[in-house]
Amino acid sequence: MTDALSLVDDWGPEKIVVVSHRRTGMKGVLVIDNTARGVGKGGTRMSPNVSVEEVARLARVMTWKWAGVDLFYGGAKAGIVADPASPDKEAILRAFARALANEVPREYVMGLDMGLTEDDAAIIQDELGDRGAAVGTPAHLGGVAYDKLGVTGYGVAEAADAAAQHLQLPLSGARVALQGFGAVGRAAAVRFAELGATVVAVSTARGALHDPTGLDVPTLRAAHDAYGDDFVTRHSQGVVIQPGQELTVDCDILVPAALQDVIDAKTAHQIKARLVVEGANLPTSEQAQAVLAERGIAVLPDFIANAGGVVAAAFAMDARYSGFRPETPTIFETISKRLRANAVTVLEEAGRRGTTPHIAGRGLAEERVRAAMRSKGRLRS
C-alpha cells in the first residue's frame, strides 16, 4: 500500500482526499496536485483498479499539461474504485460527489476520464446542485461534448502533423499505427486520414489489425459502431495480430492512445517509427524515452500531444455558469493553433538542451508553475 506522504515533493500534491461510503461500497480519491496557476481541474475516472498512486501520477500530468498549453488551471485528478458497468454506478457516483462537497467546485472541478460519460457529469452537477461542479456534460445541457467532438484525438493528429513537419517527415502518405480505437484513437485516425496520412494499424483490447498498404478509416469506424472493440476480429481489412504488436509494426508515426505504461525499454528497442506521439497519458517509461532518444526517434510528450482535451475543457470551464454554449469552430481552431505551436517549441527546446522532449517540455512547464508559486509566496525564500 502506498504511503500518501511519500508522494509529496516540491510541487505537490497539495491535498489528497480519500473518501468512502458504506451503503454503496463507494471508495475513491481526489488528488489536488498544484493550484499555483488556478483551481484544480482534471478528469474523474472509474475503474476497479484505481489507486492513490495512479491518481497522483495523473494529477501531476495535469499540472504539466495546463502549464504546457499556458492555460490558468491547476493539476488535479480523481478516481473511483468501481466497475463502470455496475448497475449501482449512479448511486456510487452520487455518493462520491457528496463526499467531496467541501472541495467541489471551490478547489476541484470534476470532468470525464476513463469509465465516465457525459450523463455522469450531468449527474454530478445534479447531485451537488451546481452547474460549476463538473464539465463534459451533454451538448443539450450546454456542455462541450469532448468525446463526440473528438477534440483530444483531433489535437493529437494536429500536434503530430506539426512535429512531423519539423522533422521533415511529410504527413501526407506517412504510415501511422494507432494503439487504441476509443475516443482518442478513433478521432485521431479520422484526422490523420483527412491530413493525408495512411493508417496501417489499429487496436483494441480484443486485438489489432494491420495492413501495410493502409486501412480504410471510414470502414473501420462503421465496423466499430457495429461491433465495438470486437470489430478487429470481425473485419475483412488487414491481418489480425495480437494486442501490443501494433506498437512494433513498420510505420513512420506511432500513436499509443490507449493505456499508460505500455512502452518499456524492451519495446522501445523494437519500435520502427520515426516519431512517437503520446495520445494516452504516461504510455512510455523514462527508460523507454531514453532508449528512443538514443535511437534517434522523437517522442512528443503526452502533456503536449493530448492537450486538446484540456483546451476544450478551458472553454467548458469558462461556460459553466453561462447561458451560451462555446462555439465549436473556435474550440477546434484554438486546439490546432496551441498544440501545433507547442509541439514545435518542445522539439526545438529538446534540441537546444540536448535532452529528451519530455525533459525539455517539463522544464518549460516547471518554469511557468514555479513563477506562479514564487509570485504567490509558495516557495521557501
Side-chain angles (χ1 to χ4, degrees):
M1 181 176 179
T2 301
D3 177 5
L5 292 175
S6 69
L7 300 174
V8 178
D9 59 19
D10 291 342
W11 305 103
E14 296 172 3
K15 180 181 285 191
I16 300 175
V17 184
V18 176
V19 295
S20 64
H21 185 252
R22 288 187 178 181
R23 185 172 179 180
T24 60
M26 181 275 293
K27 294 190 294 183
V29 60
L30 164 65
V31 178
I32 299 175
D33 185 58
N34 189 300
T35 59
R37 288 172 58 90
V39 66
K41 176 70 193 80
T44 305
R45 63 175 42 191
M46 180 180 286
S47 165
N49 302 315
V50 164
S51 69
V52 173
E53 184 175 14
E54 173 194 12
V55 175
R57 289 178 68 197
L58 294 168
R60 178 60 52 83
V61 171
M62 292 306 303
T63 295
W64 305 142
K65 195 175 292 187
W66 285 117
V69 292
D70 203 18
L71 293 170
F72 294 95
Y73 295 104
K77 203 80 172 182
I80 306 168
V81 185
D83 182 353
S86 167
D88 299 322
K89 181 182 183 181
E90 181 178 335
I92 292 169
L93 193 61
R94 289 183 180 275
F96 183 70
R98 288 195 304 273
L100 292 175
N102 289 334
E103 288 77 22
V104 178
R106 187 171 63 88
E107 298 178 71
Y108 171 65
V109 176
M110 293 190 182
L112 302 183
D113 202 317
M114 181 174 66
L116 293 194
T117 68
E118 294 170 5
D119 286 345
D120 293 328
I123 286 170
I124 291 167
Q125 288 185 350
D126 182 66
E127 183 61 34
L128 296 180
D130 191 336
R131 281 186 64 194
V135 296
T137 53
H140 58 260
L141 290 177
V144 177
Y146 310 136
D147 288 353
K148 288 182 180 178
L149 291 174
V151 291
T152 302
Y154 174 86
V156 167
E158 290 288 297
D161 186 22
Q165 289 182 31
H166 179 74
L167 298 171
Q168 297 183 335
L169 171 63
L171 195 63
S172 180
R175 299 163 300 158
V176 179
L178 287 153
Q179 182 186 54
F181 206 71
V184 178
R186 175 173 164 144
V190 170
R191 186 57 179 160
F192 274 121
E194 291 174 347
L195 292 170
T198 300
V199 176
V200 298
V202 298
S203 73
T204 71
R206 305 296 189 200
L209 280 174
H210 176 228
D211 187 340
T213 65
L215 298 163
D216 182 69
V217 174
T219 303
L220 293 179
R221 292 174 64 195
H224 187 241
D225 289 340
Y227 304 114
D229 283 355
D230 287 325
F231 85 94
V232 292
T233 61
R234 306 181 66 171
H235 201 276
S236 59
Q237 288 192 79
V239 175
V240 176
I241 57 178
Q242 291 298 311
Q245 291 183 340
E246 70 280 3
L247 295 171
T248 58
V249 300
D250 192 13
C251 64
D252 300 301
I253 300 172
L254 171 64
V255 183
L259 302 171
Q260 62 196 51
D261 300 320
V262 294
I263 299 178
D264 56 16
K266 179 180 178 181
T267 304
H269 278 292
Q270 301 170 4
I271 287 174
K272 300 176 180 65
R274 289 179 56 190
L275 170 65
V276 176
V277 180
E278 296 188 331
N281 288 325
L282 305 170
T284 60
S285 67
E286 289 186 15
Q287 294 79 9
Q289 293 159 21
V291 169
L292 292 169
E294 289 172 3
R295 297 184 59 211
I297 299 172
V299 181
L300 200 60
D302 49 2
F303 54 89
I304 299 296
N306 68 19
V310 303
V311 175
F315 281 96
M317 289 287 285
D318 277 355
R320 283 182 299 157
Y321 296 109
S322 172
F324 296 92
R325 183 181 294 110
E327 295 292 333
T328 300
T330 303
I331 293 174
F332 279 100
E333 289 167 10
T334 306
I335 289 171
S336 177
K337 182 178 179 180
R338 284 187 179 258
L339 267 62
R340 283 177 170 274
N342 289 346
V344 174
T345 297
V346 166
L347 293 177
E348 288 179 341
E349 189 68 14
R352 280 194 293 268
R353 297 188 183 193
T355 187
T356 68
H358 278 83
I359 294 174
R362 192 163 59 245
L364 292 172
E366 286 177 357
E367 289 170 8
R368 291 170 178 167
V369 175
R370 187 180 292 108
M373 294 174 71
R374 184 179 297 111
S375 292
K376 292 184 174 181
R378 297 188 181 186
L379 296 177
R380 292 179 181 177
S381 56

